[in-house]
Amino acid sequence: MPHLRSSVVEEMPADQALLFTSERGDADVSLYAGRDVRPFSWRALLRALRHPDLELLEVAEPLWTAEWVRALRYVVLARLVRPRRRVAVATYAIENLDARERLRRLGHRPLLGPVASRLAVLATGTSMLLLDAVVFGTTGAAENHRRVFGRALRRTRSAVLPPRIGPCSVCGPVPADGPREPTVLFLGAPSARKGFDVLTAAWERSGAAGEGARLVVCDPEGGQGRHDLPDGVTVHVDPPRATIHDLLRTAAVVAMPSVRRPGWREQIGLPLVEGLAHGCRVVTTTETGLAPDLADHPRVVLTAPGDVDDLAAGLRRAMGTPSSGTSGYTGYTKAEVVAWWLDAVRR
């Protein structure tokens, strides 16, 4: 898989082997102990493909173009190594940006651009015929893929299985109505697409710092040293995974004000999932992949992307008395996703 991160290792089923091509900044190597997690190599892949119990090969989703091209090589190798006992191929798709925009090429060339884009869509759709099963992580991702690749997916078993949102597999149940520190957490690189500038402006406008609240930023990379942060803002650079869990267990709110940028749109929104799993309230935007699925959740506040006033109001609501009620949302663990894949390909 591309972009290994700690949360993926925490949720992986015990009988899964995981080969990764790169690591995110929050990947904690101490979590790998006792798990079959290794950097990708062709030797490691060959060993895995020859294992007599192997039934399923999970590959990167098709709209992660560079990783999908690599994945096609892995699928071909699996077919060659196991010609008689076929290994099923599955993917977990979460891309929320319009598929045609995602695959757009040569946009600055008025004649070649549209042709190249159509060819890219056609080639991607054709290659998706190699998939035996697809799980979509959000309803938006499912609609996105089916709108563009519906014909290619007709014979592929698919389902929408959004991620489980609690309790945390590491911390266990955390009371959502227990005492919380007046803290807003921002998890991830403080970038424009994650809405960090909008968040700092909204933080000042909310007046929360003057009431004793603080905004804590957990930056896994620390490559964007900032000296213009407003009062009440603290930055932790590359904090250990245990520290992040501690902060999530005690913070009142997790903020994830994502903003769409050219060529990018928030997919699932892992900080949202982790916040809810630890009993936090969450303030996010309608750009988040899970926003339509969580529209009725009592601990989720949806705001307009890039709107400082709306975000400031959302922060004030989330820091106040939590809303009551229940949500119709149903989430699934990675083990349940794998079980669905296996059931689908065995039919």
Side-chain angles (χ1 to χ4, degrees):
M1 71 167 297
H3 310 321
L4 180 69
R5 57 199 318 164
S6 295
S7 58
V8 172
V9 179
E10 290 170 350
E11 293 290 333
M12 67 179 286
D15 58 350
Q16 182 181 34
L18 197 155
L19 304 179
F20 61 91
T21 55
S22 64
E23 294 178 272
R24 284 284 176 90
D26 75 336
D28 187 343
V29 295
S30 67
L31 296 173
Y32 303 174
R35 301 172 187 266
D36 193 357
V37 179
R38 288 170 285 164
F40 173 84
S41 69
W42 287 103
R43 179 178 296 180
L45 178 60
L46 274 171
R47 187 183 305 118
L49 291 176
R50 288 171 176 160
H51 196 286
D53 295 331
L54 180 67
E55 290 187 75
L56 187 75
L57 175 65
E58 179 188 356
V59 295
E61 66 173 294
L63 290 179
W64 294 3
T65 311
E67 293 296 338
W68 178 242
V69 171
R70 295 188 185 99
L72 292 177
R73 301 171 191 166
Y74 310 154
V75 175
V76 171
L77 181 62
R79 299 284 191 263
L80 294 173
V81 172
R82 308 275 295 254
R84 296 182 180 178
R85 190 179 178 187
R86 188 173 180 274
V87 176
V89 180
T91 193
Y92 185 75
I94 58 175
E95 182 55 64
N96 198 34
L97 182 70
D98 180 79
R100 291 186 178 88
E101 181 178 347
R102 177 77 176 175
L103 295 172
R104 187 170 295 141
R105 295 291 185 270
L106 303 174
H108 60 290
R109 299 185 180 182
L111 294 179
L112 293 178
V115 174
S117 295
R118 282 194 287 271
L119 289 175
V121 170
L122 178 62
T124 302
T126 302
S127 64
M128 288 170 66
L129 295 172
L130 294 172
L131 292 171
D132 297 293
V134 180
V135 164
F136 298 106
T138 67
T139 55
E143 292 167 0
N144 184 25
H145 285 75
R146 289 166 177 164
R147 181 172 57 249
V148 179
F149 305 116
R151 181 168 296 182
L153 291 171
R154 276 188 306 182
R155 297 182 180 180
T156 303
R157 297 189 181 275
S158 64
V160 181
L161 304 179
R164 185 190 63 164
I165 56 175
C168 172
S169 60
V170 174
C171 303
V174 180
D177 55 354
R180 292 272 172 168
E181 294 182 5
T183 300
V184 175
L185 278 182
F186 178 90
L187 304 175
S191 61
R193 71 183 189 178
K194 294 294 184 177
F196 188 71
D197 291 336
V198 181
L199 176 61
T200 53
W203 175 256
E204 285 191 287
R205 195 159 300 180
S206 72
E211 299 173 2
R214 61 190 183 121
L215 171 61
V216 176
V217 180
C218 293
D219 181 358
E221 300 171 358
Q224 303 184 38
R226 304 179 66 110
H227 306 285
D228 57 345
L229 297 175
D231 293 339
V233 181
T234 304
V235 178
H236 293 273
V237 175
D238 192 21
R241 185 65 179 165
T243 298
I244 293 176
H245 280 291
D246 288 341
L247 290 167
L248 283 164
R249 282 195 299 269
T250 57
V253 176
V254 168
M256 196 187 70
S258 304
V259 179
R260 193 186 309 200
R261 309 291 290 178
W264 182 87
R265 189 180 183 189
E266 187 68 71
Q267 296 167 344
I268 282 180
L270 183 59
L272 183 158
V273 175
E274 292 197 307
L276 292 175
H278 288 82
C280 302
R281 280 156 266 160
V282 172
V283 180
T284 186
T285 69
T286 53
E287 282 300 302
T288 304
L290 274 180
D293 301 275
L294 293 170
D296 66 341
H297 199 287
R299 286 189 285 127
V300 175
V301 177
L302 295 180
T303 63
D307 189 321
V308 173
D309 289 328
D310 197 26
L311 181 57
L315 290 172
R316 288 193 295 269
R317 285 202 306 277
M319 293 291 284
T321 304
S323 301
S324 59
T326 59
S327 172
Y329 180 92
T330 302
Y332 300 83
T333 65
K334 182 58 185 291
E336 290 171 328
V337 169
V338 172
W340 187 91
W341 277 331
L342 290 172
D343 180 66
V345 299
R346 287 168 179 168
R347 294 176 190 173

